[in-house]
Amino acid sequence: MTKQQERPRLHLLGAILRAVSVLAILGFAAWGAVALFYQAPGPAPIRLTAAVLWVAVSLAVLSAYLHWRSRFAALIYPVLIAALLFWWQSIPASNTRDWAHEVAQMTIGVVNGPEVTLANVRNFDWRTSTDYTVRWENRTYDLDKIASVDLFLSYWSGPAIAHTLISFGFEDGSFVTFSVEIRKEQHESFSEIGGFFKEFETSVVAADERDIIRVRTNIRKEDVYLYRINMAKPAMRSLFMAYVDEANKLTETPRFYNTITANCTTIVFAMVNRIVTGLPLDYRLLFSGYLPAYIIEVNGFMPGFTLEQLRGGGKISAKAQAADRAADFSRRIRDGVPGIVPLTRP
């Protein structure tokens, strides 16, 4: 290849390198600014100042790189990025903060043969989202008498996003519901963006259905759907213990919640994949509102029903609002749900 032929190729490679470098600088400018705003120490004005300074430095480096092809800029910015990433990785998760009341306690499971005692089962009496009676209870469950697994999906912001809850039923008619949630502090509220930037720790909440379902249907007025899962008893037990194991691990080693990689649905998928290996990855694991379409494709629901029948019969918000504080709340929200044998009325 002659020198004249090499020049266009070198120019093309140089242009590609510059484009990649520009995108990298812009990307780290944006990511670093948000990371500093959420996690830099100090009050909001200081965090905002740190974010603005990072953007200013990044743009100065970009300008020097584009206009003067500065080697200094090409060398110094990777060092700054490395320092930022080192700081980011050093931010520890914690179990000792001023937690919001509904996540103030952590679920702890103690196994004694087939019996599992759960400490800190939440059983709040919700009157409004800010007015409630706090109750944390110890409850014991016999896994030899486990009878069902139900999926709840709670929608609050459109069809694509839903919160995932798993409820285990027992032969005596009792239920316990597990929910993987953000562990927010007193002053915090949920934020999808904050979930990317270590704003929240992860919590496994075990709760009575009159608490954790009713607060969504009756207090927050969310649209909640119930689906009976088609699962053999050994798999039910294994999934129950997967929740217990996850809860116990979090008491020992706190972990940050992540909106994409460690949310209420992806963690459930990881648990179920331990039981039924080889489940296909799918975009609906991220857009959890569409999860029923995925589950019916892998034969996870009770057979004999279409997705439309399952969804129509599984809409429980009105039934939950009618049941309200009734002692048989769990039975009443299941009346008419496809695939569920009618429970014995007391």
Side-chain angles (χ1 to χ4, degrees):
M1 184 180 290
T2 66
K3 290 183 178 180
Q4 285 183 332
Q5 291 173 318
E6 285 181 355
R7 286 196 190 102
R9 184 179 179 184
L10 292 174
H11 283 310
L12 177 61
L13 291 174
I16 293 173
L17 178 61
R18 284 192 296 275
V20 170
S21 299
V22 168
L23 291 175
I25 293 171
L26 291 174
F28 273 107
W31 180 85
V34 181
L36 286 165
F37 178 75
Y38 273 98
Q39 292 300 330
I46 291 178
R47 291 185 279 111
L48 180 60
T49 300
V52 170
L53 286 175
W54 174 260
V55 171
V57 169
S58 299
L59 293 179
V61 168
L62 179 61
S63 178
Y65 178 73
L66 290 176
H67 291 91
W68 300 292
R69 307 288 172 84
S70 170
R71 291 183 180 179
F72 177 77
L75 293 174
I76 193 62
Y77 200 64
V79 174
L80 294 176
I81 291 172
L84 183 70
L85 292 176
F86 178 80
W87 162 76
W88 180 254
Q89 292 298 324
S90 69
I91 298 172
S94 174
N95 279 334
T96 55
R97 304 189 195 276
D98 185 19
W99 303 114
H101 293 151
E102 63 267 31
V103 289
Q105 303 297 326
M106 301 188 73
T107 302
I108 302 170
V110 177
V111 182
N112 183 18
E115 292 188 341
V116 178
T117 299
L118 296 180
N120 301 320
V121 176
R122 203 180 77 191
N123 188 20
F124 284 23
D125 181 14
W126 296 88
R127 291 173 289 275
T128 70
S129 59
T130 57
D131 179 21
Y132 44 81
T133 301
V134 174
R135 284 197 298 261
W136 297 95
E137 302 172 350
N138 293 344
R139 297 186 179 184
T140 298
Y141 302 93
D142 186 346
L143 296 190
D144 284 343
K145 298 180 180 178
I146 198 166
S148 64
V149 174
D150 293 319
L151 166 71
F152 289 92
L153 290 176
S154 186
Y155 295 79
W156 76 95
S157 64
I161 303 299
H163 185 70
T164 304
L165 308 96
I166 299 293
S167 191
F168 294 87
F170 294 83
E171 292 175 5
D172 62 359
S174 65
F175 293 86
V176 61
T177 304
F178 287 97
S179 175
V180 178
E181 303 190 1
I182 63 168
R183 197 174 190 203
K184 62 183 180 180
E185 298 176 59
Q186 287 282 0
H187 64 279
E188 293 178 329
S189 57
F190 179 71
S191 163
E192 288 88 351
I193 296 175
F196 287 106
F197 290 93
K198 298 185 177 182
E199 181 75 354
F200 315 108
E201 276 79 5
T202 299
S203 177
V204 174
V205 176
D208 189 285
E209 286 186 347
R210 276 178 297 183
D211 170 341
I212 205 163
I213 303 303
R214 182 177 166 273
V215 72
R216 288 170 165 80
T217 55
N218 296 36
I219 306 301
R220 301 176 189 167
K221 305 301 182 182
E222 297 176 5
D223 291 325
V224 179
Y225 293 80
L226 168 61
Y227 301 89
R228 174 57 51 93
I229 300 297
N230 183 20
M231 184 175 283
K233 281 196 174 185
M236 293 180 192
R237 293 178 59 134
S238 184
L239 182 58
F240 188 100
M241 286 307 305
Y243 271 105
V244 173
D245 291 343
E246 182 70 15
N248 287 343
K249 287 176 184 176
L250 288 173
T251 64
E252 299 173 359
T253 307
R255 188 172 68 246
F256 285 112
Y257 179 93
N258 187 281
T259 302
I260 293 295
T261 62
N263 61 38
C264 61
T265 304
T266 56
I267 291 176
V268 173
F269 174 80
M271 293 176 178
V272 175
N273 201 42
R274 292 164 50 183
I275 304 164
V276 184
T277 58
L279 289 176
L281 293 174
D282 193 281
Y283 76 94
R284 289 166 291 192
L285 297 169
L286 301 179
F287 297 100
S288 50
Y290 303 130
L291 193 60
Y294 170 83
I295 295 176
I296 200 169
E297 288 176 9
V298 297
N299 301 315
F301 290 140
M302 302 301 287
F305 302 95
T306 66
L307 183 58
E308 290 72 22
Q309 289 172 327
L310 292 169
R311 181 173 174 82
K315 189 171 184 177
I316 65 162
S317 293
K319 288 184 282 189
Q321 289 161 13
D324 200 28
R325 292 182 172 88
D328 61 345
F329 178 90
S330 293
R331 179 194 61 77
R332 291 174 65 173
I333 64 174
R334 286 172 171 79
D335 277 350
V337 174
I340 296 182
V341 176
L343 299 175
T344 301
R345 295 178 183 269

